[in-house]
Amino acid sequence: MHELIRDITLCILFAWMLGLLAHFSRQPLILAYLIAGFCIGPFGAGWVKSQESISVISELGLIFMLFMIGLEIDLKKIVRAGKVILFAAGGQLLGGCLLGVLFFVGIGLSLGGGHFDAVYLCVACALSSTVIIVKVLYEKRELDTLPGRITLGILVLQDIFAILFLAVQPSLANLQVSVILLSIGRVAVLVAAALLVSRYVLPRLFHQIARRPELILLGALAWCFLVAETAERLSLSREMGALIAGVSLSTFPYALDVTAKVTTLRDFFITLFFVALGMTIPVPGLSVIGLALMIAAFTVASRLVTTFTPLYLMKQGLRASLLPALNLAQISEFSLVVIQTGVTDHHIAAETANAASFAFVVLAVLSTFVMTRSDEITRWAIGPLKRVGLRDLDHGDGHAEEGHGGGHGEARRIVILGFFRAASALLAEIERQRPVLLEQITVVDFNPNVYQTLLSRGLHVIYGDISNVDTLIHAGIGKSEMIILSVPDSLLKGATNEKLVRHVRALNPTALIVATADLLADVGALYEAGASYVTVTRLSDAHELFTVIEAAQAGLLEDKRAELDQRLGERREVLP
């Protein structure tokens, strides 16, 4: 016991020190934890030698990690997932696994006879890192963009795929239809029981203890370990049970409260898991390094093929098809969980598991770098893709007839550069108050959903990247009378309002240019760049909030709400 406490102390101390180093060098924290484990483990300094300690630390961390992954799986989002996400995720997972089996068997890895290295690797390479992707997309403010939503949707469905694999994983050595059905049946029974209890029993219990945070935390942990142990008794695994426990809690009213309470513990035990995993990684030989590089190269290549292709076939355009493929081009932390379960059950060779861990490290670093520059990479790649014959959504626009939308032809009197919520609200307001004005408007944007929706409504829309000067020239804005930039700098990619104003003013010296400022300090710079008028959205927001306060003080808040509800009911926005 004393040895276990000492080992945990070393794990946390080295994880914190290397975590600080990773933070300041802007590297993934998981990478720091793996290196910390290697440094103190049997293959490093040898300060932690007890295999029992490593096993206990690893299993505890794994159970908590899967419990939290389950808590964060939103079943409602899966139900509401559009056909684009479902088709893209299906193509990526099925295509990735098929290519994976062919590739890994082709390089000589085993597929049966008690050794399933190729199977585990093809599954591991089909999963992408939620931790890395969400962190980078959040920092880039791209979670709510179309490529961001597609990426997150695919991630959720990847988690479901991993759950199904973990259900049959214990029976891989005796993989028969009856065994698979029995395993899935056991999972179905456990899931149904867990959902019923979380739907009808747990809410009442948690309601009674809602004011006692320590009991909420204890109740969540008790539920996690109860379902985990029940899964073990059903010949599944504790890890599978922990995942089901989390998924079942994600649907009940106190899910957010539970998640908030368990998050600190999650971070603690996830840290322990990755440190323990790092302890099992030996100094790599040339064969391990070679296999790791092949795994990493295959992951990137297969992700580009299996993600880009279905999105492109669904007419999402080159940009919205490329960005999710770049976002997803790494191996998931969940993949390490899958590999570890294989090692525990002696399904996969230690050398293969070590190579997968090294591939994870390599891709964690490279994918973070690529994702931060994904817009630049995408712009660079679109030209060559067009030259080899891939058509973008703007193909053939030059032949569109005037008045039927979609033409690159000469832009109309009013041009809206970039289309997000403010532009969506503007069009709805014009449609409500002066619909004839819509015939004088051209919209330029590269969101395929916006493009198709505006075309279907008969508006003149040009598919293109407004940060590219060639797009502005081909759009013909040099003859327009008014040009509106309604997208704030925080959402623009590859440009700012100030740069766009300078480009537009150089192409059209006489146009009225309306720009948008995020900060009050930006207003002067925009006027110096050539803007005719600058909108500051916080001013209109402040005015609206002030009228709400006045209405509340006069006892007219219900009337104001009814008025707003009526206005909202009359609107037909492109981006609701």
Side-chain angles (χ1 to χ4, degrees), residues 83-105:
K83 63 178 182 179
V84 170
I85 291 175
L86 291 173
F87 188 70
Q92 185 264 311
L93 289 168
L94 295 176
C97 287
L98 178 60
L99 291 176
V101 169
L102 294 174
F103 176 78
F104 292 120
V105 170

Side-chain angles (χ1 to χ4, degrees), residues 68-390:
M68 290 305 299
I69 287 175
L71 274 174
E72 293 168 359
I73 291 177
D74 192 334
L75 295 177
K76 293 178 181 177
K77 283 186 178 179
I78 295 173
V79 172
R80 294 196 302 263
K83 63 178 182 179
V84 170
I85 291 175
L86 291 173
F87 188 70
Q92 185 264 311
L93 289 168
L94 295 176
C97 287
L98 178 60
L99 291 176
V101 169
L102 294 174
F103 176 78
F104 292 120
V105 170
I107 63 174
L109 295 181
S110 54
L111 186 61
H115 300 286
F116 303 97
D117 299 60
V119 174
Y120 278 91
L121 283 183
C122 80
V123 172
C125 291
L127 306 176
S128 303
S129 174
T130 302
V131 172
I132 294 172
I133 291 171
V134 171
K135 179 178 182 294
V136 176
L137 290 184
Y138 176 79
E139 290 175 351
K140 293 180 66 183
R141 300 190 182 186
E142 290 185 7
L143 285 172
D144 198 32
T145 63
L146 176 64
R149 290 195 300 272
I150 291 173
T151 301
L152 295 180
I154 293 175
L155 283 174
V156 171
L157 291 168
Q158 284 181 354
D159 289 340
I160 300 300
F161 170 75
I163 293 172
L164 294 175
F165 177 77
L166 288 178
V168 301
Q169 176 269 334
S171 308
L172 276 180
N174 185 28
L175 203 58
Q176 303 172 2
V177 173
S178 59
V179 174
I180 294 174
L181 292 177
L182 181 61
S183 297
I184 293 176
R186 287 170 177 164
V187 173
V189 169
L190 187 59
V191 169
L195 288 174
L196 286 173
V197 173
S198 68
R199 175 71 175 84
Y200 296 105
V201 178
L202 292 182
R204 295 180 182 179
L205 290 175
F206 276 76
H207 178 71
Q208 297 298 322
I209 61 174
R211 296 180 181 274
R212 303 293 296 273
E214 66 273 19
L215 284 181
I216 289 180
L217 174 60
L218 193 60
L221 297 181
W223 176 247
C224 170
F225 283 100
L226 173 64
V227 179
E229 199 59 35
T230 303
E232 181 74 11
R233 295 288 182 268
L234 290 173
S235 300
L236 295 168
S237 66
R238 290 187 179 93
E239 292 80 10
M240 181 74 194
L243 190 62
I244 292 172
V247 171
S248 63
L249 281 190
S250 72
T251 64
F252 95 133
Y254 295 91
L256 287 176
D257 201 24
V258 170
T259 302
K261 299 291 188 300
V262 181
T263 295
T264 304
L265 271 179
R266 173 203 64 179
D267 294 339
F268 176 74
F269 282 102
I270 285 178
T271 300
L272 289 183
F273 169 73
F274 284 110
V275 173
L277 185 61
M279 293 180 201
T280 65
I281 302 174
V283 178
L286 289 177
S287 60
V288 171
I289 293 175
L291 181 56
L293 293 177
M294 284 192 284
I295 293 171
F298 168 77
T299 301
V300 174
S302 65
R303 198 75 87 246
L304 289 173
V305 171
T306 60
T307 305
F308 173 83
T309 303
L311 288 171
Y312 181 75
L313 293 176
M314 292 285 286
K315 300 187 185 305
Q316 295 304 296
L318 293 177
R319 182 181 183 275
S321 300
L322 271 174
L323 282 175
L326 293 174
N327 292 341
L328 294 163
Q330 74 283 120
I331 294 176
S332 173
E333 55 279 353
F334 210 157
S335 300
L336 300 183
V337 172
V338 170
I339 294 291
Q340 198 64 20
T341 58
V343 171
T344 303
D345 291 340
H346 306 290
H347 288 168
I348 181 173
E351 182 176 299
T352 306
N354 294 334
S357 297
F358 278 108
F360 170 84
V361 170
V362 170
L363 290 177
V365 176
L366 290 180
S367 68
T368 302
F369 175 81
V370 168
M371 286 181 67
T372 55
R373 293 161 179 79
S374 58
D375 292 293
E376 302 166 30
I377 295 171
T378 302
R379 288 191 184 92
W380 171 83
I382 285 176
L385 288 174
K386 285 183 175 180
R387 284 193 288 274
V388 299
L390 293 180

Side-chain angles (χ1 to χ4, degrees), residues 540-558 560-561 564:
S540 55
D541 291 344
H543 175 73
E544 178 68 16
L545 289 172
F546 183 72
T547 62
V548 171
I549 293 174
E550 285 190 319
Q553 289 180 333
L556 300 174
L557 192 59
E558 288 298 321
K560 184 168 183 60
R561 176 176 171 177
L564 178 61

Side-chain angles (χ1 to χ4, degrees), residues 517-529:
D518 282 336
L519 305 174
L520 296 178
D522 294 338
V523 175
L526 287 169
Y527 280 126
E528 288 180 13

